[in-house]
Amino acid sequence: MQSYVRSFNETDRAMLSLVGGKGANLGELTHIEGVHVPPGFCITTAAFQKVMVASPEMNKLLEQLALLQISDRSAIAAIGNALRSIIEHAPVPADISAAITMQLQGWESVPVAVRSSATAEDLPTASFAGQQDTYLNVIGISSILQHISKCWASLFTERAIIYRIQNGFDHRKVQLAVVVQQMVFPYASGIMFTADPVTGNRKTVAVDAGFGLGEAMVAGLVNADHYKIQQGAIIVREIPTKQLGIFAVPEGGTRQQAIAHHQQSAPVLTDAQLLALAQLGRNIEAHFGQPQDIEWCLAGDTFYVVQSRPVTTLFPIPQVDDTHFHAYISVGHQQMMTDAMKPLGLSLFQLTTPRPMYTAAGRLFVDVAPDLAVPARRAMFTGVLGKSDPLIKDAVLTLLQRPEFKVDQEDTNPVPMHDYNVKIEYDPHIVAKLIAANQAAHEQLKADIKGKTGVALIDFILLHIRESAKVLFDPQSLNVIITGMNAATWLNENIRQWLGDKNVADTLAQSVPDNVTSEMGLHLMNVADVLRNYPEVVNFLEHTTAADFLDQLPAFAGGQPSAQAIKAFLDKYGMRCAGEIDLTKTRWAENPAILLPMLLNNIRNFETGAAARKFNQGLKAATDKEKDILSRLAKLPGSEEKVAETKRMIQLVRGYSGYREYPKYSIIRRNFIYKQALMVEALQMQQAGVIHDKEDIFYLSFEELRDAIKTQYIDQQLIRERKAAFLTFEKLIPPRVMTSDGEIITGRYTRDHLPANAIAGLAVSSGVVEGRARVIPDITEAHLEKGDILVTVFTDPSWTPVFVGIAGLVTEVGGLMTHGAVIAREYGLPAVVGVQDATQLIKDGQQIRVNGTDGFIEIL
């Protein structure tokens, strides 16, 4: 016989599919010693399934619903209304009604809460809080049955449908149970988070408390007391005026009621009650093994728990094997790639770097606590970070006020610090030598990796990573890059002091030689010049998304030369893609169709020869600026020395700053050779039945992949779990700085000179421009017109072809020497980076003004 009803005592968290998230958690809470849960039971999903199959019309509506997107709001509302109407007006099947009535024996006049409990609710990865309905103070069997039907129907409210679409849950697969629970008529109630929901600090318990039922807070009707408790001490106490509460009425239901005047400004809870509540929260957290969002109420001297769900918005903490304090800085914010990475990509990056890196939610972090504890390293870090990302620097300076850094420590780190103040002399041959050494190493790798298979291939790659570091991390290479940066800083500081001009290095660095990334953008403009002569080819490319479109091109007039031009581009740059530091990302060479929006933008927006004109315009701007500066300096006191030193610095900027992009190009090119060999191996594993899909290897570390190749076995359950985890990680936004307590330290810009309502950022490329904002999170959506201003989360070298046609740049992530800044200066684009929440604050299509000289954006 089908079980339609289960008491809390018969329920635990393993029964999610039967009683839903809320029911499973309430059942689990019942089994925790010292936790008081009001008695209750669950109407299982089996009852809901029986109701759903009773109407043929229901199935048709669900099929229609499955086809809708979030933008189809009117259709969502109409289908949702229809589904709810069917469910609410259908009688509860007799056997279900009988089971519920039997469970309610002795409760005929007992007030209860009737609460929805979906199978996609209160999960570790998505809370679904408030998406389905709850009814309080329901009295009588007929009323309870009626409200159970209403709960079933609430699965199809507009907000619930949209939330499922946003989170990728199948409407058919989400089932609904219903919780019926005896009411508690509390003096006070509220919400408790066992980790600070704002900062993420796992050592902080946050409590909101109000008089009466908790629904007043949930509905936003009242101001709640707000407390924070940390390690047995109340560290925050905010007591607002509380004018209203929601209370139960004897005949059933609830009503708003004024709070007595003498209570309005009084604390809801005593200190002793707060500390007891916080300890209760810690006990529940320990049982579930992760931070909890807990609904509680206080009746008499007893705290009752009416719900506990995982806090799903916290960014995970990097895992280490000690209890020391750690200060983690995001690697992604330095690399201009804050997307989640798959395990193979993380593993390769960790193998490539000279210092330990830690992972959390598919992102990489470095622990700088040991560096911040040592005065010399502290000064170096804050200095370099100030140039790189002021928001990280500000967060680090905040950290330095903590007790952990009050006492200076000796330097026990064996890794020597590079001299970040170096300025080597100009050598016209040094860049060419460095590039030649990298090119020779590249050709040698292609020859050496041929024929390597199996475990020997993995061992070869691991050895080659160590060997290639000698070329990639040659101190001479780093000296060239740092010298170019320091020379630019010298010019900006001294020319402003002597002549009043701001950020002159931005203009002086336009169209420098040896910038492999800016050359890539110009190269794609030249490809557009070839294709523009062949209308049939252009028309075909405008209507295709096929990855193999190059094979189809020869069928059209001009297809052969068009294909040759694209292939020549791919031969040099095909290893690049958005998020290229992650080995597992699809490269342009693997799917050339990714390039088509950028290529078509160039065809539409430029005339033939535009690349050469753009380069020459930048070169002229730089030359003219140099002449202007030197002629004005010649009129100043001490002009001979000033002119000579300025000439030297300009020579260093123009000779060395282009090379800044080459080491990363070389690393990405090397990694693509690794990947091509690994994918051959993966295909053989797929054909042997070891893996289902060759991209399954992306969810293994290098060591795990080596073991899988050796044993010809992979745990498929592990792959499934990592794929599911990755989908969760993609939704999380990584912090720039966080501690081992989980606390996210947020940096701020401190500039008082900004216009009213201006959005602050870091000025990285001078000039002021007005234009249409195009908010584009994904490069494949980059359909831009000439003069548009690009607003996005981050740009890496793969975005460079987009830069040739835009008028300005705004990014959420970035610093003075990150990709977007370097290429914006090269192309003469006003740019502001490191703008917190730029893609939310600026709307697509708005007219904006970007001030790349002073670092702010205005919405016009």
Side-chain angles (χ1 to χ4, degrees):
M1 180 179 173
Q2 182 66 62
S3 174
Y4 294 123
V5 174
R6 292 186 77 93
S7 72
F8 288 169
N9 289 329
E10 303 172 297
T11 305
D12 59 38
R13 57 178 154 175
M15 298 179 182
L16 174 70
S17 62
L18 189 64
V19 296
K22 191 178 276 103
N25 287 349
L26 282 168
E28 188 71 26
L29 286 163
T30 304
H31 302 301
I32 306 175
E33 186 177 352
V35 176
H36 299 282
V37 179
F41 62 92
C42 303
I43 296 97
T44 67
T45 53
F48 176 76
Q49 290 164 6
K50 184 164 185 175
V51 169
M52 291 295 287
V53 298
S55 167
E57 187 180 354
M58 196 92 69
N59 194 49
K60 293 178 183 176
L61 289 168
L62 286 171
E63 287 177 357
Q64 294 172 29
L65 192 61
L67 301 174
L68 300 181
Q69 305 295 321
I70 290 176
S71 56
D72 303 319
R73 297 297 285 268
S74 59
I76 288 171
I79 294 174
N81 284 334
L83 286 165
R84 292 198 306 277
S85 179
I86 293 170
I87 295 169
E88 286 186 30
H89 291 96
V92 177
D95 53 347
I96 297 174
S97 177
I100 295 169
T101 302
M102 184 178 295
Q103 192 73 32
L104 286 169
Q105 283 184 357
W107 291 22
E108 289 83 0
S109 58
V110 175
V112 300
V114 182
R115 311 167 74 190
S116 307
S117 179
T119 54
E121 178 181 61
D122 298 341
L123 305 179
T125 55
S127 77
F128 280 69
Q131 298 308 312
Q132 282 80 49
D133 289 347
T134 288
Y135 301 95
L136 300 179
N137 204 29
V138 181
I139 302 172
I141 292 174
S142 63
S143 182
I144 291 171
L145 290 172
Q146 178 187 356
H147 284 89
I148 288 169
S149 291
K150 286 188 172 187
C151 282
W152 285 333
S154 71
L155 192 65
F156 299 105
T157 60
E158 189 174 348
R159 70 175 184 273
I161 292 169
I162 289 172
Y163 193 86
R164 287 197 296 276
I165 294 172
Q166 287 174 327
N167 286 276
F169 284 89
D170 188 330
H171 302 296
R172 289 177 174 278
K173 291 182 180 177
V174 177
Q175 305 290 324
L176 198 73
V178 178
V179 168
V180 178
Q181 187 174 26
Q182 287 188 13
M183 282 288 294
V184 173
F185 297 101
Y187 160 79
S189 57
I191 299 162
M192 168 170 53
F193 291 91
T194 63
D196 191 318
V198 177
T199 69
N201 194 325
R202 309 305 201 265
K203 289 185 176 177
T204 301
V205 174
V207 174
D208 285 351
F211 294 114
L213 296 167
E215 269 53 38
M217 272 181 287
V218 174
L221 297 173
V222 298
N223 295 321
D225 286 4
H226 181 65
Y227 309 92
K228 289 186 180 181
I229 302 97
Q230 198 173 86
Q231 296 176 311
I234 300 166
I235 60 170
V236 171
R237 190 194 313 267
E238 297 171 1
I239 314 296
T241 301
K242 300 169 285 291
Q243 296 180 333
L244 288 174
I246 291 181
F247 297 86
V249 295
E251 61 272 20
T254 60
R255 72 177 174 209
Q256 291 183 34
Q257 184 176 311
I259 302 296
H261 190 268
H262 72 278
Q263 279 188 301
Q264 289 183 3
S265 298
V268 173
L269 299 174
T270 67
D271 287 4
Q273 288 170 333
L274 272 171
L275 296 178
L277 180 61
Q279 186 56 53
L280 175 64
R282 286 289 181 227
N283 294 344
I284 294 171
E285 177 187 66
H287 180 86
F288 283 102
Q290 66 185 111
Q292 296 290 298
D293 166 3
I294 298 166
E295 297 175 24
W296 59 270
C297 54
L298 176 64
D301 295 326
T302 302
F303 281 108
Y304 291 91
V305 176
V306 293
Q307 184 52 292
S308 185
R309 62 175 71 88
V311 183
T312 60
T313 55
L314 297 173
F315 196 87
I317 305 171
Q319 295 299 302
V320 292
D321 296 327
D322 61 58
T323 58
H324 300 147
F325 181 82
H326 299 274
Y328 297 109
I329 288 182
S330 163
V331 174
H333 284 83
Q334 306 298 305
Q335 290 292 329
M336 297 296 286
M337 212 294 275
T338 54
D339 291 347
M341 295 169 65
K342 297 186 179 79
L344 192 66
L346 291 168
S347 178
L348 176 65
F349 201 99
Q350 288 173 301
L351 290 166
T352 306
T353 56
R355 68 181 290 160
M357 290 190 176
Y358 306 90
T359 63
R363 276 74 168 198
L364 289 163
F365 294 86
V366 291
D367 176 21
V368 298
D371 303 281
L372 298 179
V374 178
R377 290 182 181 275
R378 182 189 307 154
M380 184 274 290
F381 257 89
T382 52
V384 172
L385 289 172
K387 295 179 181 180
S388 169
D389 188 328
L391 293 176
I392 290 182
K393 179 184 179 180
D394 188 66
V396 167
L397 291 175
T398 301
L399 263 181
L400 288 173
Q401 305 307 309
R402 302 289 174 88
E404 290 84 0
F405 303 112
K406 290 300 183 187
V407 179
D408 293 340
Q409 296 180 10
E410 290 185 19
D411 193 349
T412 58
N413 191 335
V415 180
M417 288 191 298
H418 197 89
D419 181 6
Y420 283 89
N421 296 311
V422 68
K423 283 195 195 83
I424 60 173
E425 289 303 313
Y426 179 65
D427 176 349
H429 307 296
I430 189 170
V431 170
K433 289 177 182 176
L434 289 167
I435 290 174
N438 273 280
Q439 183 60 34
H442 177 72
E443 295 302 325
Q444 189 65 49
L445 171 59
K446 287 199 295 185
D448 291 346
I449 204 169
K450 277 184 180 176
K452 299 285 192 301
T453 61
V455 172
L457 171 64
I458 303 297
D459 290 343
F460 170 81
I461 291 173
L462 293 173
L463 178 62
H464 187 267
I465 288 170
R466 291 193 292 271
E467 292 297 319
S468 64
K470 297 171 186 174
V471 175
L472 292 171
F473 301 111
D474 182 346
Q476 196 175 40
S477 175
L478 193 53
N479 283 341
V480 167
I481 294 168
I482 294 171
T483 296
M485 292 167 58
N486 289 338
T489 301
W490 186 96
L491 286 165
N492 286 337
E493 291 174 353
N494 286 281
I495 300 305
R496 183 169 186 177
Q497 180 183 341
W498 295 333
L499 300 178
D501 294 12
K502 291 182 180 179
N503 305 336
V504 294
D506 294 356
T507 305
L508 293 167
Q510 288 186 38
S511 298
V512 294
D514 303 314
N515 189 321
V516 69
T517 305
S518 62
E519 289 168 1
M520 176 176 70
L522 300 176
H523 190 153
L524 198 64
M525 293 175 78
N526 290 331
V527 174
D529 287 353
V530 175
L531 273 60
R532 196 178 289 110
N533 297 317
Y534 305 112
E536 282 187 40
V537 168
V538 174
N539 181 63
F540 167 66
L541 296 181
E542 286 175 336
H543 296 92
T544 187
T545 57
D548 64 347
F549 75 88
L550 284 170
D551 297 334
Q552 303 175 50
L553 277 182
F556 301 94
Q560 199 68 42
S562 297
Q564 288 172 351
I566 296 171
K567 285 176 181 176
F569 178 86
L570 291 172
D571 285 344
K572 187 167 186 180
Y573 304 110
M575 80 298 293
R576 311 216 86 152
C577 68
E580 62 188 11
I581 66 169
D582 181 357
L583 179 79
T584 70
K585 294 274 190 178
T586 302
R587 311 284 138 176
W588 292 342
E590 294 171 321
N591 181 9
I594 299 169
L595 284 170
L596 290 180
M598 294 179 281
L599 186 53
L600 291 167
N601 284 342
N602 288 348
I603 293 170
R604 282 191 295 266
N605 296 334
F606 296 105
E607 295 180 0
T608 300
R613 286 193 296 275
K614 187 173 187 65
F615 183 85
N616 290 333
Q617 285 166 3
L619 187 59
K620 184 177 186 302
T623 304
D624 290 349
K625 188 68 175 177
E626 179 177 3
K627 290 177 181 176
D628 173 61
I629 289 170
L630 295 177
S631 66
R632 289 159 62 197
L633 285 177
K635 300 172 185 175
L636 298 180
S639 61
E640 187 174 338
E641 184 180 342
K642 286 173 180 162
V643 167
E645 190 64 1
T646 300
K647 277 184 177 180
R648 188 171 81 87
M649 293 300 167
I650 292 173
Q651 189 177 49
L652 290 173
V653 166
R654 292 203 59 79
Y656 288 169
S657 61
Y659 177 72
R660 157 72 178 78
E661 292 288 300
Y662 196 86
K664 186 175 183 181
Y665 168 79
S666 189
I667 290 169
I668 299 303
R669 192 164 57 154
R670 177 201 69 179
N671 290 354
F672 187 48
I673 294 176
Y674 296 163
K675 184 180 183 182
Q676 287 173 306
L678 290 171
M679 295 314 289
V680 171
E681 197 67 31
L683 181 60
Q684 292 174 353
M685 294 172 73
Q686 181 185 14
Q687 291 168 345
V690 178
I691 52 178
H692 298 316
D693 186 291
K694 61 183 180 179
E695 292 191 356
D696 284 353
I697 69 166
F698 294 167
Y699 297 91
L700 300 172
S701 70
F702 259 84
E703 284 302 319
E704 290 169 336
L705 178 56
R706 187 184 190 281
D707 290 342
I709 292 171
K710 184 177 180 179
T711 62
Q712 288 296 289
Y713 171 77
I714 286 180
D715 181 353
Q716 292 299 330
Q717 180 61 27
L718 177 69
I719 300 296
R720 286 191 292 271
E721 288 173 0
R722 288 186 176 172
K723 285 181 177 180
F726 181 75
L727 293 176
T728 303
F729 296 160
E730 285 186 301
K731 298 171 187 175
L732 297 175
I733 298 172
R736 282 175 162 84
V737 180
M738 74 184 302
T739 72
S740 46
D741 295 332
E743 183 180 5
I744 294 171
I745 312 296
T746 304
R748 289 178 173 81
Y749 292 105
T750 52
R751 278 180 279 172
D752 301 325
H753 67 279
L754 299 183
N757 301 319
I759 303 168
L762 175 65
V764 294
S765 184
S766 294
V768 179
V769 66
E770 294 180 10
R772 180 180 67 158
R774 292 305 320 279
V775 181
I776 299 174
D778 187 337
I779 195 171
T780 60
E781 300 167 5
H783 302 289
L784 295 152
E785 295 180 11
K786 203 170 183 180
D788 284 344
I789 296 170
L790 174 63
V791 181
T792 190
V793 178
F794 62 81
T795 65
D796 60 10
S798 70
W799 285 78
T800 304
V802 174
F803 281 33
V804 297
I806 59 175
L809 173 70
V810 178
T811 67
E812 293 184 352
V813 178
L816 276 171
M817 293 309 296
T818 47
H819 163 265
V822 173
I823 303 304
R825 291 193 290 272
E826 170 87 6
Y827 287 164
L829 301 173
V832 180
V833 303
V835 182
Q836 292 266 55
D837 302 320
T839 57
Q840 277 77 49
L841 296 171
I842 302 168
K843 305 303 179 189
D844 189 50
Q846 283 183 323
Q847 288 293 121
I848 64 173
R849 179 185 297 123
V850 175
N851 188 321
T853 304
D854 294 315
F856 62 86
I857 303 102
E858 295 173 281
I859 298 173
L860 303 178

